[in-house]
Amino acid sequence: MIDYARYDRVRAVAFRNGQLELLDQRKLPFEQTFITCRTADDVAQAIFDLVVRGAPAIGIAAAWGVVLAARELGEVPSARAREQLEPVLQRLEAARPTAVNLAWALQRMRRVLAASGDDWQSRVAAEAALIEAEDLQANRHMGELGAALIEPGAGVLTHCNTGSLATAGFGTALGVIRAGVAQQRISRVFATETRPWLQGARLTVWELQQDGIDATLIADSAAAHLMSTGQVQWVIVGADRIAANGDVANKIGTCQLAIAARHFGVRVMVVAPWSTVDVATVQGADIHIEERDPAELLGYAGQRTVAEGIRAFNPVFDVTPAALIDAIVTERGVMRAPCNVALASLAADA
Ligand code: MRU
């Protein structure tokens, strides 16, 4: 049994006193400040600006954004609420395109609204709370399932931030790492910097430090060398969208990690709640890959580091083909390669 009080100390999203508090992830690790969202548009802006980030966390924040919009509307009939909230739902959904958890959470809110009568306000609030609570439960379950795949003494490499900062708590890939460390299966944890936004350098190693988990930071470009030394047996990552054929969209750089891992005999585990599985998307090539401001590459902390006049291309996700993935862990169970077959069967069981 994992001691969650010890191995899960950070929270990024909190709905308190009728407003949404978000830990401002742009400022971590040196400043721990919360920003307060009072309207759904505040939430949409915070998602766009990466105040809150990580596929499950943006879905949860958006669900609470709908609750804020509902409270602003007040006591109106449910049909009117549905009509007035629809543009709000659409603005929230447009904040970021790749992580399907955002659209998924909003679709759940839409469904609850459609099924509610005069009690729509309380049902919308209950649904947001449920989305958040279910995510935490799923992460804890996936932690146990994923850790069971790891042989004692293993070293692991993770990418981006998939922890409590990116979810309702405990994390997806980082949940497996937390569970694996707690069970003394994992002996070495490495984290990539995750250029250009530095989710690994600024968030992941800090988050692990809060739990007393020792992690070693590497440059993204050091991953293949690290694998060649034999110190890593698993690459463990999260996902932003998993297509029906088992292709996985995740933070830019994941695909090249998976290619290097296959070359060096390192296994790849993807950990994501079922809310990240998008059976309506046939294959990875159909996933919309978000591009962000090239300025992220052209400078650092407001200081230009690249000569004027240079262009930059900044896609922030990539697609790892299913064939490079050894296991996808969801709260419904573990899918082993070939993941597309396993995925079809888990989806059919639902
Ligand atoms: O751009 P970000 O920081 O929102 O990207 C996050 C990732 O790519 C994570 O790996 C993914 O969302 C899984 S988080 C549990």
Side-chain angles (χ1 to χ4, degrees), residues 94-132:
R96 292 194 76 188
T98 303
V100 72
N101 310 61
L102 179 58
W104 168 88
L106 292 167
Q107 195 53 26
R108 266 183 72 160
M109 300 303 279
R110 215 176 251 120
R111 268 203 300 271
V112 162
L113 265 171
S116 303
D118 290 345
D119 57 348
W120 69 272
Q121 284 272 5
S122 60
R123 289 193 56 187
V124 157
E127 191 68 5
L130 192 62
I131 289 171
E132 185 172 331

Side-chain angles (χ1 to χ4, degrees), residues 278-334:
D278 178 14
V279 286
T281 294
V282 175
Q283 54 182 1
D286 301 334
I287 297 172
H288 178 174
I289 299 293
E290 178 182 359
E291 287 177 34
R292 292 190 71 90
D293 190 347
E296 288 182 352
L297 290 168
L298 297 174
Y300 183 70
Q303 180 79 36
R304 180 112 187 167
T305 52
V306 176
E308 295 296 340
I310 301 292
R311 266 192 311 279
F313 170 49
N314 189 21
V316 298
F317 299 100
D318 62 21
V319 173
T320 301
L324 295 178
I325 297 166
D326 295 280
I328 299 179
V329 177
T330 76
E331 73 277 26
R332 290 193 186 177
V334 175

Side-chain angles (χ1 to χ4, degrees), residues 53-56 96 160-162 166-167 172 199 238-240 250-251 317:
R53 38 132 317 269
R96 292 194 76 188
C160 195
N161 173 271
T162 62
T167 64
T172 56
Q199 285 91 336
D240 287 81
N250 190 49
K251 180 52 56 192
F317 299 100

Side-chain angles (χ1 to χ4, degrees), residues 87-296:
V88 175
L89 286 153
Q90 287 177 18
R91 286 202 295 281
L92 283 162
E93 193 168 331
R96 292 194 76 188
T98 303
V100 72
N101 310 61
L102 179 58
W104 168 88
L106 292 167
Q107 195 53 26
R108 266 183 72 160
M109 300 303 279
R110 215 176 251 120
R111 268 203 300 271
V112 162
L113 265 171
S116 303
D118 290 345
D119 57 348
W120 69 272
Q121 284 272 5
S122 60
R123 289 193 56 187
V124 157
E127 191 68 5
L130 192 62
I131 289 171
E132 185 172 331
E134 285 177 0
D135 187 62
L136 181 58
Q137 274 314 108
N139 291 339
R140 289 177 173 179
H141 187 42
M142 292 188 298
E144 307 251 2
L145 292 175
L149 303 178
I150 299 170
E151 56 291 341
V156 301
L157 171 64
T158 191
H159 187 52
C160 195
N161 173 271
T162 62
S164 302
L165 290 170
T167 64
F170 202 58
T172 56
L174 224 52
V176 168
I177 292 173
R178 284 187 156 103
V181 168
Q183 296 171 359
Q184 297 178 342
R185 290 169 182 273
I186 295 178
S187 305
R188 296 169 300 281
V189 180
F190 295 91
T192 61
E193 279 183 297
T194 321
R195 288 275 301 148
W197 211 70
L198 300 179
Q199 285 91 336
R202 295 192 306 102
L203 309 179
T204 298
V205 289
W206 173 80
E207 189 182 321
L208 289 173
Q209 191 180 51
Q210 306 313 299
D211 291 358
I213 296 176
D214 201 32
T216 302
L217 183 67
I218 62 162
D220 295 333
S221 46
H225 171 71
L226 174 70
M227 290 179 203
S228 78
T229 67
Q231 294 182 77
V232 170
Q233 281 63 50
W234 283 95
V235 169
I236 309 181
V237 294
D240 287 81
R241 192 181 291 244
I242 301 175
N245 72 343
D247 290 350
V248 169
N250 190 49
K251 180 52 56 192
I252 191 76
T254 304
C255 180
Q256 62 194 28
L257 286 177
I259 292 168
R262 182 56 54 93
H263 180 79
F264 288 108
V266 170
R267 280 158 297 162
V268 174
M269 186 191 308
V270 173
V271 189
W274 195 261
S275 54
T276 307
V277 175
D278 178 14
V279 286
T281 294
V282 175
Q283 54 182 1
D286 301 334
I287 297 172
H288 178 174
I289 299 293
E290 178 182 359
E291 287 177 34
R292 292 190 71 90
D293 190 347
E296 288 182 352

